[in-house]
């Protein structure tokens, strides 16, 4: 099943307007909506602010809800005003966490010590589907690297420093965290975000003015993707439900449920 992950309900407002809520639950700070969109069931996961909420919310979804693919949606900041203007759509080619720094312990920049890479590539199939969906809607669309951190950057000097250090194109909070988890557990993911602001001194005002429009653009791309992506997932979920109802042994598509049962 597909999991659509976002910071807030407003980040998925257009998706929810086109969905029927089947079930709703809240675990900690994270709210999970099982929704039906034109006959396709997907989970919408509202994680709230911060990387910890992103990580805990996604791990629960992978283990307990057997999410097979993850789409991050919402808005982001552009690090290049000329190439990636406000009102365009950004599709991740990869992601990293710009605020991870273990250099003084001998690790490369942005590398979490347990890992060997700093850049987490997105799934090639999801990337292709996202580009086709955005282009089909006629949106100005760009792809690039998302740099994520627990900071709302509103300083041109800091933005330049991040861009130079990471060679990234967009800023948000969620994508790099999802990327790390996807890398560690072999989960296909993509991030699709509308550009709401530049990471400069006008960031707060631009964000407040443009975020709803940016969210709507990203939501429309996701809605355009869901039917083709979910056909395979629904078939798999039906097979799993049959196995569960007949007490057959089954494996979660993310291979996590059985190994994590002791924890949840």
């Amino acid at each position: 099943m597909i999991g659509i992950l976002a910071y807030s309900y407003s980040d998925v407002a257009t998706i929810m307007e086109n969905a029927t809520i089947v079930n709703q639950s809240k675990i900690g700070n994270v709210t999970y909506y099982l929704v039906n969109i034109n006959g396709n069931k997907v989970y919408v996961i509202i994680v709230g602010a911060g990387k910890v909420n992103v990580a805990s919310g996604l791990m629960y979804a992978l283990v307990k809800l057997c999410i097979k693919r993850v789409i991050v949606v919402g808005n982001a900041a552009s690090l290049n005003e000329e190439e990636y203007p406000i009102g365009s759509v950004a599709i991740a080619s990869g992601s990293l966490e710009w605020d991870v720094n273990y250099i003084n312990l001998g690790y490369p920049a942005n590398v979490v010590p347990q890992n060997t890479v700093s850049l987490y590539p997105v799934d090639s199939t999801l990337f292709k589907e996202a580009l086709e969906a955005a282009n089909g809607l006629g949106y100005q669309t760009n792809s690039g690297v998302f740099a994520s951190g627990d900071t709302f950057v509103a300083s041109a000097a800091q933005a330049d420093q991040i861009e130079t250090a990471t060679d990234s194109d967009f800023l948000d909070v969620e994508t790099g965290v999802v990327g790390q988890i996807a890398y560690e557990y072999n989960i296909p993911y993509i991030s699709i975000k509308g550009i709401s602001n530049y990471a400069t001194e006008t960031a707060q005002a631009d964000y407040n003015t443009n975020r709803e429009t940016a969210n709507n653009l990203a939501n429309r791309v996701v809605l355009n993707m869901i039917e083709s992506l979910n056909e395979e997932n629904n078939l798999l979920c039906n097979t799993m439900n049959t196995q569960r109802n007949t007490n057959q042994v089954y494996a979660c598509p993310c291979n996590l449920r059985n190994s994590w049962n002791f924890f949840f």
Side-chain angles (χ1 to χ4, degrees):
M1 187 173 289
I2 295 170
I4 300 171
L5 185 144
Y7 155 61
S8 70
Y9 193 95
S10 65
D11 285 31
V12 291
T14 301
I15 290 173
M16 297 302 283
E17 288 171 3
N18 288 271
T20 301
I21 297 175
V22 178
N23 189 28
Q24 176 182 345
S25 60
K26 187 171 184 179
I27 309 294
N29 294 322
V30 182
T31 304
Y32 301 87
Y33 296 94
L34 176 62
V35 303
N36 189 312
I37 302 174
N38 295 326
N40 301 296
K41 287 185 179 179
V42 303
Y43 271 100
V44 175
I45 307 163
I46 308 301
V47 294
K51 292 163 69 174
V52 171
N53 284 330
V54 176
S56 62
L58 178 56
M59 285 306 302
Y60 182 90
L62 295 178
V63 174
K64 300 298 287 186
L65 307 180
C66 280
I67 297 302
K68 189 182 179 186
R69 296 173 175 177
V70 181
I71 301 174
V72 187
V73 69
N75 58 79
S78 165
L79 289 173
N80 189 316
E81 297 184 18
E82 293 183 2
E83 291 190 35
Y84 315 125
I86 290 172
S88 62
V89 172
I91 298 175
S93 58
S95 66
L96 54 84
E97 296 172 83
W98 68 262
D99 57 354
V100 168
N101 188 341
Y102 291 91
I103 293 176
N104 291 333
L105 293 178
Y107 294 95
N110 312 119
V111 172
V112 176
Q114 294 89 338
N115 295 334
T116 58
V117 301
S118 62
L119 182 65
Y120 307 115
V122 301
D123 178 72
S124 59
T125 299
L126 290 176
F127 181 76
K128 178 182 177 182
E129 293 278 355
L131 278 178
E132 289 179 353
N135 290 332
L137 291 166
Y139 294 161
Q140 180 178 348
T141 306
N142 299 286
S143 63
V145 174
F146 277 70
S148 301
D150 265 336
T151 301
F152 183 85
V153 178
S155 162
Q158 185 178 18
D160 288 343
Q161 184 179 26
I162 294 170
E163 183 180 13
T164 300
T166 63
D167 196 25
S168 52
D169 305 289
F170 315 107
L171 294 179
D172 75 347
V173 175
E174 302 86 16
T175 305
V177 182
V178 174
Q180 181 186 340
I181 293 172
Y183 172 79
E184 293 179 359
Y185 294 100
N186 196 28
I187 305 298
Y189 87 102
I190 191 69
S191 183
I192 304 161
K193 298 208 169 187
I195 298 300
S196 57
N197 59 278
Y198 307 116
T200 63
E201 282 68 17
T202 64
Q204 182 179 5
D206 290 341
Y207 172 77
N208 290 332
T209 299
N210 301 309
R211 63 178 179 177
E212 289 186 8
T213 299
N215 291 336
N216 179 63
L217 291 172
N219 281 209
R220 292 292 178 189
V221 175
V222 174
L223 286 170
N224 214 21
M225 294 172 64
I226 284 176
E227 187 166 353
S228 60
L229 290 176
N230 220 50
E231 183 176 349
E232 174 190 345
N233 290 332
N234 282 339
L235 178 60
L236 177 58
C237 287
N238 289 337
T239 301
M240 289 173 57
N241 288 333
T242 300
Q243 292 173 337
R244 186 183 298 118
N245 292 335
T246 57
N247 295 320
Q248 297 179 43
V249 176
Y250 70 95
C252 175
C254 57
N255 297 318
L256 293 178
R257 181 192 289 272
N258 294 331
S259 60
W260 283 64
N261 265 340
F262 72 95
F263 188 74
F264 290 95

